[in-house]
């Protein structure tokens, strides 16, 4: 049992609308600044594993350009189509000058 | 020479389902002329001793509509014994096409069927309008036989333009689409396909056009097939629901035409629904109507190790562990308190995509020599051999091997007993290769070789004769491919000649051979010695001949090229063209 805070960006590093890919535990993860709030999510769409480099983000909705599956970045819930597989999202916290993914086990 | 081609000494399994027998097969002018002990001379003789000589397989669920223009064999179809393909499934076709409408269809193909846009833009030689023109464009340039369904999405775009993805059709527009269906059938379409899958969108996020159609529109289009007594109706409805079964039944009764719907599969997350599906099929057939379920022989699988598993992302603690640095993850996986938490999450009653059945997770790669004995075992069996609980054994084996152990898990098509019943049902068609689609995510050309290798040879769920019947004459009959799918004098010499002891499908592999330098997954086969199309050898021991031996196969309502009105309500090509000009409002 434990908690880890894994730094993924420095505060101010990502402008609103920007995103970057990081490696966490051997998996590719995106960190995105959406209107000042940071989100972290797995790099692949859970539908057909398309990489989400070009996925469209509007507000907290992410749309995969492959088949237009849409996800809520706050929860990972698939909103279009309803009941689709969820996007893997990770909790993000600011700790001092760093944006961290918080992983608890 | 008496024969162009003589195939000597093979075991003839003729597609009828009758027991196979040892015989020679004589071929002349593209057709089978004699089967028996043949003594005549031949331009070429193939020794088939020890091999099975069967009709070429008919892959009826493909999306090769575009690919055939740059890849006339639809590779890897011939490698798996396929001699005929049906394209135009799921509502998606490249015709009819109005001027300037090309991009609307590309948008749908790119997203629904996950084809690279660059390949479509570089590889499709647009220029046709009618469905007949499109079929004509393929004449003489295909290495395998090809037939096509006309797609509801293309019909809607032809008549409604971009409004096809915005609104329902007016009665006048439905009437124009009906005219187009009639024209397509008379030009040789094998039927009509639609797409009602609520997960299918275009590239721009709009639903594919057929999703905007109500039942009245679609049934009106299908009525044309009933009026013409020709063609099949192919549908995809998305996530399987009981009400869909009622809809397929109603469609079959109303039109009297064969309906083919997706999919009958065993799913661990809905482990009893397949029985409901088979019962519904039996009721429809029991009343004399035809609604076939479509199934696949290849389970949808995940391969994972605890270095990279995404299979457990739906369990919160599991998910977090999989993003931790490996050394922390390994410590956590060894910790009894963390294990208890992981175990509790998996035992929770919530419905999950992962089936949580350790008897269904197999070990397919180990890192340490002493663990070779576990290769191929289920985790449950491995645990029993080690005298451990399955969950602990799964984690301990992975930790011993520095997380390198690779596992295999299938959610769909995973229960062999259920799949055996599904595959044996006379109301179920085997297929679903989806060839030409999802090319960067999967390759399932080998559904037929998997049926023969896995389900017949290894699992013995049906006879070789039954399996060949399902891959050939059953499909050819349902689709109205006259003169195909059987080994009989007078039938087309479409043949698959293979070694029954080794025939099987390889794992998919990546290659870059599509237009615009784009890549895709291909799938090779084992044991397929010769594939013969219209009497010409197109594939031999791993190599394609380059011979474009294929033909465009036209359905029962085809009026033939150059015929005028025949007085029975069926019109020739000039009539079809007039219908299509009228339907487009020009």
């Amino acid at each position: 049992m434990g908690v880890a805070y894994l730094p993924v960006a420095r505060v101010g590093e990502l402008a609103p609308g920007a995103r970057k890919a990081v490696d966490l535990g051997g998996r590719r993860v995106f960190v995105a600044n959406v209107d000042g709030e940071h989100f972290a999510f797995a790099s692949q769409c859970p539908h057909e594993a398309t990489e989400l480099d070009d996925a469209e983000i509007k507000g907290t909705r992410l749309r995969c350009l492959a088949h237009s599956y849409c996800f809520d970045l706050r929860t990972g819930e698939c909103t279009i189509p309803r009941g689709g597989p969820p996007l893997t999202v990770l909790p993000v916290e600011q700790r001092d000058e760093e944006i961290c993914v918080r992983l608890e086990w | 020479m008496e024969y162009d081609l003589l195939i000597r000494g093979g075991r003839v399994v003729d597609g009828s389902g009758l027991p196979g027998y040892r015989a020679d097969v004589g071929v002349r002018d593209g057709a089978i002329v004699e089967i028996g002990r043949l003594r005549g001379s031949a331009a070429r003789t193939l020794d088939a001793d020890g091999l099975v000589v069967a009709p070429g397989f008919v892959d009826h669920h493909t999306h090769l509509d575009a690919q055939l223009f740059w890849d006339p064999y639809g590779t890897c179809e011939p490698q798996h014994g396929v001699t005929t393909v049906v394209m135009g499934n799921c509502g998606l076709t490249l015709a009819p096409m109005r001027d300037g409408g090309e991009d609307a269809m590309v948008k749908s193909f790119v997203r629904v069927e996950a084809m690279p846009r660059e390949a479509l833009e570089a590889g499709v030689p647009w220029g046709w309008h009618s469905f007949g023109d499109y079929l004509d464009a393929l004449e003489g340039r295909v290495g395998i036989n090809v037939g096509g369904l006309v797609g509801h999405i293309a019909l809607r775009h032809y008549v409604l333009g971009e409004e096809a993805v915005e609104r329902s059709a007016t009665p006048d527009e439905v009437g124009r689409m009906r005219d187009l269906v009639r024209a397509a059938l008379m030009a040789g379409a094998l039927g009509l396909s639609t797409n009602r899958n609520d997960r299918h969108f275009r590239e721009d996020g709009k639903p594919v056009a057929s999703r905007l159609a109500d039942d009245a529109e679609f049934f009106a289009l299908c009525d044309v097939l009933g009026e013409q007594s020709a063609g099949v109706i192919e549908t995809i409805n998305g996530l399987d629901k009981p009400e869909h079964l009622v809809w397929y039944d109603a469609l079959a009764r109303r039109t009297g035409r064969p309906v083919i719907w997706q999919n009958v599969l065993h799913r661990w997350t809905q482990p009893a629904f397949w029985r409901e599906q088979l019962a519904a099929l039996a009721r429809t057939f029991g009343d004399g109507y035809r609604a076939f379920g479509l199934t696949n022989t290849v389970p949808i699988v995940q391969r994972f190790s605890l270095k990279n598993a995404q299979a457990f992302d739906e369990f919160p603690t599991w998910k977090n562990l999989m993003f931790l640095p490996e050394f922390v993850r390994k410590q956590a996986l060894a910790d009894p308190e963390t294990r208890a938490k992981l175990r509790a999450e998996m035992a929770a009653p919530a419905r999950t995509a992962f089936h949580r059945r350790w008897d269904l997770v197999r070990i397919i790669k180990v890192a340490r020599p002493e663990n070779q004995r576990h290769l191929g075992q289920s985790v449950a069996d491995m645990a029993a051999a080690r005298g451990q609980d399955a969950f602990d054994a799964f984690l301990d084996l992975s930790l011993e091997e520095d997380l390198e152990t690779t596992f295999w898990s299938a959610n769909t098509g995973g229960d062999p007993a259920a799949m055996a019943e599904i595959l044996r049902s006379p109301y179920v068609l085997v297929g679903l290769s989806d060839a030409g689609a999802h090319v960067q995510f999967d390759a399932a050309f080998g559904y037929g070789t998997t049926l023969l290798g896995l389900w017949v040879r290894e699992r013995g769920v049906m006879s070789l004769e039954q399996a060949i019947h399902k891959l050939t004459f059953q499909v050819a009959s349902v689709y109205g491919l006259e003169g195909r799918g059987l080994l009989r004098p007078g039938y087309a010499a479409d043949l698959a000649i293979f070694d029954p002891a080794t025939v099987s499908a390889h794992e998919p592999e990546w290659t870059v051979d599509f237009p615009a330098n784009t890549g895709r997954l291909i799938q090779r086969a084992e044991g397929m010695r010769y594939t013969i199309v219209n009497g010409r050898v197109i594939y031999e021991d791993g190599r394609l001949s380059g011979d474009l031996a294929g033909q465009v196969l036209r359905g029962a309502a085809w009026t033939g090229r150059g015929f005028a009105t025949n007085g029975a309500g069926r019109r020739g090509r000039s009539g079809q063209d007039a219908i299509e000009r009228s339907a487009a409002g020009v």
Side-chain angles (χ1 to χ4, degrees):
Chain A
M1 308 259 272
V3 180
Y5 294 91
L6 306 179
V8 290
R10 295 177 58 79
V11 172
E13 178 184 344
L14 293 173
R19 78 185 82 168
K20 73 169 189 176
V22 297
D23 179 290
L24 290 185
R27 286 179 63 175
R28 193 162 177 252
V29 170
F30 281 113
V31 184
N33 180 338
V34 180
D35 302 328
E37 189 176 359
H38 288 81
F39 294 93
F41 51 95
S43 70
Q44 289 186 342
C45 177
H47 173 223
E48 281 201 340
T50 303
E51 289 291 332
L52 296 169
D53 293 74
D54 301 320
E56 175 188 280
I57 297 176
K58 282 186 181 169
T60 56
R61 191 186 83 159
L62 176 142
R63 182 169 76 89
C64 171
L65 295 186
H67 298 92
S68 287
Y69 272 46
C70 295
F71 305 92
D72 186 331
L73 283 176
R74 293 167 299 189
T75 62
E77 181 192 3
C78 184
T79 53
I80 297 177
R82 286 276 173 202
L87 177 68
T88 297
V89 296
L90 300 168
V92 172
E93 282 185 21
Q94 182 177 333
R95 292 174 66 84
D96 299 328
E97 289 304 304
E98 290 182 320
I99 306 297
C100 297
V101 165
R102 181 180 190 277
L103 298 176
E104 185 177 351
W105 67 94
Chain B
M1 295 285 176
E2 198 156 340
Y3 308 112
D4 299 329
L5 182 66
L6 180 60
I7 301 145
R8 278 205 183 281
R11 177 181 165 198
V12 172
V13 178
D14 68 6
S16 68
L18 290 167
Y21 57 99
R22 195 175 168 91
D24 310 320
V25 178
V27 173
R28 191 170 59 236
D29 297 331
I32 296 166
V33 290
E34 212 170 350
I35 302 174
R37 290 188 177 172
L38 308 183
R39 291 184 177 77
S41 60
R44 185 175 181 196
T45 299
L46 303 179
D47 178 9
D49 184 33
L51 305 177
V52 168
V53 181
F57 307 154
V58 182
D59 184 356
H60 59 103
H61 193 97
T62 83
H63 296 280
L64 291 165
D65 310 63
Q67 185 178 329
L68 288 173
F69 284 110
W70 64 80
D71 174 10
Y73 292 106
T75 54
C76 304
E77 295 282 17
Q79 287 87 337
H80 294 270
V82 172
T83 55
T84 295
V85 296
V86 178
M87 56 191 182
N89 285 281
C90 304
L92 287 155
T93 46
L94 297 178
M97 179 58 62
R98 61 194 285 159
D99 288 333
E102 294 86 350
D103 197 57
M105 286 312 300
V106 168
K107 281 191 179 97
S108 298
F109 268 99
V110 164
R111 293 314 176 205
V112 175
E113 303 304 346
M115 298 176 186
R117 173 176 265 279
E118 304 91 316
L120 291 172
E121 288 177 343
V124 179
W126 299 102
W128 50 81
H129 286 93
S130 71
F131 192 80
D133 290 344
Y134 166 70
L135 292 181
D136 289 349
L138 287 165
E139 287 278 16
R141 55 187 298 172
V142 284
I144 51 178
N145 303 313
V146 57
L149 308 171
V150 64
H152 192 184
I153 295 170
L155 294 168
R156 282 193 125 246
H157 277 293
Y158 194 91
V159 172
L160 280 75
E162 266 302 281
E163 291 181 31
V165 294
E166 306 287 352
R167 65 174 174 84
S168 56
T170 65
D172 175 62
E173 288 163 339
V174 172
R176 285 153 66 192
M177 281 190 270
R178 279 173 48 85
D179 288 343
L180 286 170
V181 172
R182 193 175 301 110
L185 290 171
M186 292 195 299
L190 299 177
L192 169 69
S193 70
T194 194
N195 189 324
R196 299 160 67 93
N197 188 337
D198 61 8
R199 296 181 175 209
H200 281 175
F201 296 86
R202 297 198 317 182
E203 200 176 24
D204 56 6
K206 295 179 177 173
V208 292
S210 51
R211 286 180 50 198
L212 278 294
D214 55 20
D215 277 357
E217 173 185 326
F218 185 60
F219 279 35
L221 302 188
C222 292
D223 284 345
V224 179
L225 279 69
E227 291 155 16
Q228 295 280 314
S229 286
V232 302
I233 300 162
E234 189 271 342
T235 74
I236 179 168
N237 255 329
L239 289 175
D240 298 319
K241 294 176 182 168
E243 57 264 36
H244 294 160
L245 302 173
V246 177
W247 191 80
Y248 306 134
D249 178 78
L251 196 51
R253 288 172 193 271
R254 175 176 172 133
T255 61
R257 302 309 307 161
V259 174
I260 296 149
W261 54 265
Q262 304 174 57
N263 300 309
V264 190
L265 290 167
H266 172 270
R267 293 179 170 83
W268 289 109
T269 49
Q270 278 179 291
F273 189 54
W274 64 276
R275 288 192 184 282
E276 208 175 313
Q277 292 177 309
L278 290 191
L281 291 170
R283 282 193 297 274
T284 304
F285 276 91
D287 286 348
Y289 299 97
R290 293 169 290 177
F292 290 94
L294 178 57
T295 194
N296 202 349
T297 60
V298 185
I300 298 170
V301 302
Q302 288 181 308
R303 296 169 182 81
F304 63 87
S305 72
L306 289 185
K307 273 184 177 297
N308 61 14
Q310 298 175 32
F312 306 130
D313 277 7
E314 56 194 325
F315 305 104
T317 307
W318 270 106
K319 177 184 77 175
N320 287 348
L321 286 186
M322 294 310 299
F323 287 97
L324 285 170
E326 263 184 47
F327 75 96
V328 183
R329 189 185 316 156
K330 284 190 276 192
Q331 287 173 8
L333 291 173
D335 171 45
E337 279 188 59
T338 305
R339 282 196 182 193
K341 204 170 170 183
L342 297 174
R343 191 192 293 268
E345 286 180 4
M346 279 203 172
R351 181 174 161 174
T352 56
F354 180 61
H355 47 60
R356 301 182 274 186
R357 295 263 309 263
W358 296 113
D359 57 327
L360 304 175
V361 179
R362 286 202 283 133
I363 299 154
I364 58 170
K365 187 177 164 194
V366 293
R368 297 166 66 112
E370 64 269 29
N371 289 327
Q372 287 288 326
R373 64 195 171 110
H374 296 313
L375 266 184
Q377 283 183 328
S378 69
V379 168
D381 287 344
M382 177 270 293
R386 292 162 62 114
Q388 275 189 292
D389 162 80
F391 183 78
D392 284 326
F394 170 67
L395 295 180
D396 286 350
L397 178 66
S398 293
L399 288 169
E400 285 166 22
E401 299 205 313
D402 207 23
L403 308 187
E404 298 282 355
T405 323
T406 305
F407 300 91
W408 176 103
S409 173
N411 184 44
T412 299
D415 179 8
M419 284 308 299
E421 278 195 53
I422 293 168
L423 290 167
R424 282 194 294 255
S425 167
Y427 314 132
V428 169
L429 299 184
V430 172
L432 210 51
S433 79
D434 257 349
H438 312 287
V439 296
Q440 298 181 334
F441 303 114
D442 200 7
F445 297 97
Y447 74 95
T449 44
T450 299
L451 180 67
L452 300 172
L454 176 66
W455 295 99
V456 173
R457 185 178 62 242
E458 293 181 26
R459 295 187 173 165
V461 305
M462 66 176 80
S463 69
L464 181 66
E465 285 84 352
Q466 286 174 303
I468 296 292
H469 173 72
K470 297 209 73 124
L471 295 173
T472 59
F473 190 57
Q474 184 188 41
V475 180
S477 302
V478 172
Y479 278 79
L481 302 175
E482 292 174 16
R484 310 269 167 183
L486 272 183
L487 301 188
R488 292 276 194 280
Y491 273 66
D494 295 338
L495 301 162
I497 302 175
F498 62 87
D499 180 354
T502 61
V503 65
S504 57
H506 286 207
E507 286 291 306
E509 57 191 278
W510 184 257
T511 191
V512 177
D513 67 351
F514 261 28
N517 207 30
T518 50
R520 62 161 177 155
L521 287 164
I522 60 169
Q523 186 178 34
R524 299 177 199 275
E526 194 70 35
M528 190 61 61
R529 293 288 300 280
Y530 304 99
T531 304
I532 297 167
V533 172
N534 297 309
R536 289 145 69 175
V537 179
I538 62 157
Y539 177 78
E540 183 171 354
D541 288 335
R543 300 182 65 164
L544 291 163
S545 69
D547 188 358
L548 298 183
Q551 295 176 3
V552 175
L553 304 183
R554 318 256 177 170
W558 183 42
T559 48
R561 206 167 298 186
F563 287 94
T565 303
N566 65 6
R570 292 181 176 180
R571 281 166 284 191
R573 291 298 308 281
S574 57
Q576 295 159 26
D577 292 345
I579 287 171
E580 294 189 6
R581 282 196 300 275
S582 164
V586 295

